[in-house]
Amino acid sequence: MNFKQVKLTKKYLLPRVKELQADMMRLRTAFDQSYDVATVRYGKTYPEGFCQEITLGVKTIMEKELSAPKTPGMTALRDFAVHGGLAKRIWGNLRNQYFQNAFQFGSLYVDVANDTVNIAKPKVEILPLAKARMFPISDYDGYADLAEKYWKGQVYPNRIMPDLAVMFPLFLITPDGKIGLHANYQTILYRNMQFDFTLAEKFLFKNKRKALALPETYRQKLVTEYGAVPEPISDDVLSQYFDSARQSQLRFDATRCQAMLDRAIAL
């Protein structure tokens, strides 16, 4: 956000904000009609919990229309972008309640999946970004806090699969008993690599959950089936894994990183 984006929003988007709202609703309806709305995931039926799929789907339709816009709202958005307006997908902490995908159009917050937590809400919401209360998630501490609140689970530090910990520093156990390694693929995974794994290191060595140990049943399963170490490793040993990752320039090695990602997904 800067003065240029505010100025461009005022010039191109605000005069057509009603038309833009109508177009976003039209695109959302088009995506709904193309999607199998009977899809159930994690016990939830579309659209609940499908904010990423909806946002990406609408983005694809929108990009096609922007090449030759035919409506006032899309024309305004095209003109805004052509003159340097910022139009991109964003993801983060919405109102300290849940994770959300949305768009930023200059100084506007545009949510085409507004009903994915509470299906009674309007499908589309457009607000001044300053009033939307959408906050970036820039570290694993904030991610873990919101993950526990949003998914109603429990986060544990990853100290039993240390070779993966530099990229996947935490486990999340959900209320239905499922466990997964987390890195947050939308933003923090890449930010952690950009800063040479310092975000994962900070979480594992300084987070308030540092001393939490996985429940025995999960630990035994990970040892038996996924090669985890029998006991949580010490700070000194864990530090060696971070040192090794940096010395070997792991963050620049796509083949090794992909192999780690495959292992995390398999778990």
Side-chain angles (χ1 to χ4, degrees):
M1 276 288 295
N2 54 38
F3 177 74
K4 177 183 177 180
Q5 294 303 317
V6 172
K7 184 178 179 180
L8 290 171
T9 302
K10 287 181 178 179
K11 181 175 180 179
Y12 292 102
L13 299 183
L14 293 185
R16 293 290 188 180
V17 71
K18 290 183 179 179
E19 291 88 346
L20 184 62
Q21 173 99 18
D23 273 331
M24 293 300 106
M25 186 64 206
R26 177 176 57 80
L27 298 183
R28 168 62 194 276
T29 300
F31 178 77
D32 287 345
Q33 293 172 347
S34 71
Y35 199 81
D36 182 3
V37 296
T39 301
V40 176
R41 192 182 62 179
Y42 304 128
K44 297 179 179 179
T45 304
Y46 185 90
E48 187 180 3
F50 285 77
C51 66
Q52 182 177 14
E53 290 80 0
I54 292 170
T55 306
L56 289 173
V58 169
K59 177 176 178 287
T60 298
I61 301 171
M62 180 169 51
E63 287 173 340
K64 292 178 180 178
E65 289 202 7
L66 284 173
S67 62
K70 298 178 181 179
T71 62
M74 296 300 286
T75 299
L77 181 58
R78 190 274 313 272
D79 292 345
F80 165 77
V82 165
H83 288 87
L86 178 68
K88 68 174 185 176
R89 184 172 71 92
I90 57 176
W91 175 90
N93 171 349
L94 185 61
R95 298 161 196 153
N96 291 317
Q97 293 182 317
Y98 36 80
F99 299 111
Q100 185 71 351
N101 288 267
F103 297 111
Q104 178 184 349
F105 296 164
S107 60
L108 293 179
Y109 167 85
V110 180
D111 187 352
V112 296
N114 190 51
D115 59 336
T116 55
V117 174
N118 181 350
I119 61 173
K121 286 186 174 183
K123 293 184 178 184
V124 174
E125 180 177 59
I126 298 180
L127 293 172
L129 194 60
K131 294 184 179 179
R133 296 178 61 210
M134 178 80 157
F135 310 109
I137 300 175
S138 57
D139 59 38
Y140 283 110
D141 293 11
Y143 176 78
D145 289 343
L146 190 56
E148 289 185 340
K149 185 175 183 179
Y150 182 50
W151 286 310
K152 299 178 175 60
Q154 176 65 57
V155 167
Y156 295 88
N158 175 15
R159 284 178 167 265
I160 62 171
M161 301 185 77
D163 57 325
L164 293 180
V166 296
M167 283 181 63
F168 303 91
L170 63 94
F171 292 100
L172 177 72
I173 298 179
T174 55
D176 60 1
K178 294 180 180 178
I179 185 172
L181 273 171
H182 278 232
N184 181 252
Y185 309 124
Q186 297 211 53
T187 55
I188 311 177
L189 172 66
Y190 308 105
R191 184 177 175 84
N192 182 44
M193 294 173 71
Q194 177 187 2
F195 289 99
D196 215 2
F197 309 110
T198 55
L199 300 186
E201 186 177 45
K202 176 177 177 289
F203 175 81
L204 287 169
F205 287 90
K206 297 182 179 180
N207 187 266
K208 60 188 177 184
R209 302 170 181 83
K210 175 183 175 180
L212 289 181
L214 276 173
E216 182 65 17
T217 53
Y218 292 97
R219 187 182 64 80
Q220 286 292 349
K221 181 178 178 67
L222 292 174
V223 169
T224 303
E225 299 182 19
Y226 295 97
V229 298
E231 298 293 337
I233 61 174
S234 67
D235 285 357
D236 289 342
V237 175
L238 187 56
S239 290
Q240 295 174 18
Y241 284 90
F242 281 93
D243 291 342
S244 175
R246 290 169 184 139
Q247 291 168 8
S248 66
Q249 295 192 319
L250 171 63
R251 67 192 180 115
F252 299 117
D253 191 329
T255 300
R256 291 165 62 201
C257 288
Q258 183 62 53
M260 295 170 70
L261 177 62
D262 292 342
R263 288 176 59 200
I265 292 174
L267 185 149

